[in-house]
Every structure is written in C-alpha cells, then in structure tokens.
Amino acid sequence: MLKKEMFYEGKAKRVYVTDEPGKYLVEFKNDATAFDGKKKGTIDNKGMLNNKISVLFFKLLEEKGIKTHFIEAVSDTEMLVRSLEIILVEVVVRNIAAGSLAKRIGMEEGTTLPAPVVEYYYKSDALGDPLINNSHIAVLGLATPEQMEVMKETALKVNGVLKDFLTGKNIDLVDFKLEFGRHGNEILLGDEISPDTCRFWDSQTSEKLDKDRFRRDLGNVEGAYREVFKRIQA
Ligand code: TMP
Ligand code: ASP
C-alpha cells in the first residue's frame, strides 16, 4: 500500500488517498481544538494514543459484528480504512448527563440517565454543529429514514459493547459521538473512537479521562489519554 496525496485535512486528522482503490489512510494529529475551533492547542502523543485507542475499539466492534471502516493499523499514528462518503449527521449517545445535555435540559452533570439518550447534530462548522431531529435530516436530505434507523440501531449497539467492555476496565462511558458514511450500498461506522470523541470517567473517582481536561483546562491531558490506553489494552 502506497500513501499518496492528502485529500482532506480536519482538525484532528489528515486523510490520504492510497494506490489501492476504495482505501484511505487516516493519520491522527496531536492538534486539539474545542468550541468550534475557538480554542486551539496540541496534546503530546495524542495522535498515537487516539490511533491506538481507535484501532482497539474498532477491532472490538468488528468482533461483535458491527461494520466499520477499519481495515488495519499501519503505523503508530496511521490506520488504513475503507473510503467513505461521510453522512453529515453526528450521532451522540449518552448514558450519564454531562456537557451540552446537562445544560440544555437542566440536569446536574453526573446524573445517570434511566435509558440511553440518542441525539443528532448537523456536521457543519459554519453553523456550529446544531442539534437536529429526523425532520430536519429529511428536509436537508442528509440521510434517508432507513439509513437513520441503521445509524441509530448501530449507535445503540456500539454503546452496549463499549459500555460493557469499559466497565471491566473501571471506566464509565458517559457519552460519545459517532460518524457514519456510505461505502457502496453499505453504511459503515467511520471516524474515530477516542478520548477526543467520548467522555470517559474513572468508575470509582469520576476523574475525567478525556478531552474535557483540555476543554476545561484541568491539566494532565496526555496522562489521561495514556491512562485510557493502558487500561483498555490490559
Ligand atoms: P457535548 O456534551 O458537548 O454535546 O458532547 C457530547 C459528546 O460528543 C462528547 O463525548 C464529546 C463528543 N463531541 C465530539 O466528538 N465532537 C464535538 O464537536 C462535540 C461538541 C462533542
Ligand atoms: N472538536 C470540536 C471543535 O474543535 C469540539 C469539541 O470537541 O469540543 O470545535
């Protein structure tokens, strides 16, 4: 496999074309942003840690029958994936109230939800990723109702698999964001699954082990990402 030209650069990753049709190389960066890119920084070794953490989670999900874009790890900071036409709907699943949900519905951060909450956000930097519903998605033509059903069911299945796995590692899965894309006529789970895109809390102390340490200036961001990697590979 040959890494060819870069065709997309996001806030945390670069995507390269390869000499193999239908396969992209994803490179994870140390760059970190928050609040629609208004806060910028770097986290040492984040690229490596997020790549390795995502590889581990994608392998786990594939073992449980969930279809993802993941093919194989290529280097410390790179993975080979199936090319996707990204669907512009971010799917968030929540088990414990935190972040924007705590604010929006006036629930104290840390309250366990009686059932998982699934939310959709329009992936649009210009609009600041607004919360949207199935009617908005239909009007905008972002996905069909059938595709949304697949994405929702897959997201809930991912939640069950990750939550159970992480409980065994003494980590509470508070919430996370997924992205999906079309590959031929299949819908595959794409993007990454890492402390950038999930909230992970230590089960005993509720210490934050994710990007909230960067967003809220809590310090030891790299240490938290390392701790997640250490626990999940054990
Ligand atoms: P929120 O509480 O800020 O809406 O975030 C919910 C989850 O989604 C949290 O685990 C972090 C993740 N997330 C992203 O991956 N990208 C984003 O741009 C935002 C706002 C949240
Ligand atoms: N990554 C997003 C941004 O740069 C937001 C976040 O994760 O908080 O705006």
Side-chain angles (χ1 to χ4, degrees):
M1 189 272 305
L2 251 172
K3 182 173 176 178
K4 297 180 81 177
E5 72 273 12
M6 180 172 83
F7 92 103
Y8 175 78
E9 177 158 18
K11 286 176 283 202
K13 297 186 286 298
R14 296 189 188 94
V15 183
Y16 295 85
V17 176
T18 70
D19 60 341
E20 296 182 33
K23 295 183 185 177
Y24 291 161
L25 192 96
V26 177
E27 181 190 49
F28 287 72
K29 304 194 286 185
N30 290 342
D31 298 348
T33 68
F35 314 119
D36 292 323
K38 288 195 257 310
K39 184 183 173 98
K40 287 193 176 70
T42 58
I43 300 167
D44 288 342
N45 296 303
K46 178 168 85 79
M48 176 198 48
L49 291 163
N50 278 0
N51 183 50
K52 293 191 168 190
I53 292 167
S54 294
V55 166
L56 198 146
F57 283 142
F58 281 132
K59 283 184 178 168
L60 173 69
L61 294 173
E62 288 278 352
E63 276 168 25
K64 302 286 180 182
I66 293 162
K67 291 178 188 164
T68 80
H69 69 159
F70 176 73
I71 301 173
E72 62 185 10
V74 171
S75 73
D76 274 0
T77 56
E78 297 166 309
M79 63 166 78
L80 191 67
V81 301
R82 290 174 191 86
S83 61
L84 291 183
E85 184 200 327
I86 286 288
I87 294 170
L88 298 179
V89 177
E90 300 188 347
V91 181
V92 169
V93 181
R94 304 177 184 267
N95 299 303
I96 297 174
S100 72
L101 178 77
K103 276 208 193 93
R104 182 175 306 110
I105 68 172
M107 204 179 241
E108 195 186 340
E109 196 162 79
T111 310
T112 299
L113 303 168
V117 166
V118 181
E119 297 172 340
Y120 307 122
Y121 293 85
Y122 184 14
K123 187 172 161 64
S124 160
D125 282 338
L127 297 174
D129 295 352
L131 180 74
I132 52 174
N133 63 26
N134 284 301
S135 308
H136 301 127
I137 291 165
V139 162
L140 289 165
L142 302 178
T144 66
E146 294 73 26
Q147 288 169 339
M148 287 311 300
E149 197 53 35
V150 171
M151 287 161 62
K152 182 184 168 187
E153 289 312 313
T154 305
L156 287 170
K157 194 168 170 194
V158 168
N159 185 46
V161 171
L162 294 185
K163 201 168 170 274
D164 286 353
F165 173 78
L166 289 165
T167 298
K169 310 291 179 186
N170 223 8
I171 294 173
D172 287 345
L173 178 61
V174 175
D175 54 35
F176 58 94
K177 182 261 301 179
L178 301 178
E179 295 184 24
F180 294 86
R182 304 176 188 91
H183 180 87
N185 45 27
E186 280 193 313
I187 301 283
L188 304 181
L189 177 61
D191 195 47
E192 65 181 279
I193 305 174
S194 74
D196 269 14
T197 60
C198 305
R199 284 195 175 93
F200 298 130
W201 292 356
D202 179 277
S203 304
Q204 260 70 53
T205 65
S206 294
E207 184 189 359
K208 296 183 195 330
L209 300 172
D210 56 61
K211 195 175 161 188
D212 271 347
R213 302 203 71 83
F214 170 78
R215 294 189 190 98
R216 303 179 189 190
D217 294 320
L218 300 176
N220 195 26
V221 187
E222 182 192 352
Y225 282 53
R226 267 194 198 284
E227 180 63 23
V228 170
F229 181 53
K230 191 177 111 192
R231 288 195 201 180
I232 64 175
Q233 63 172 339

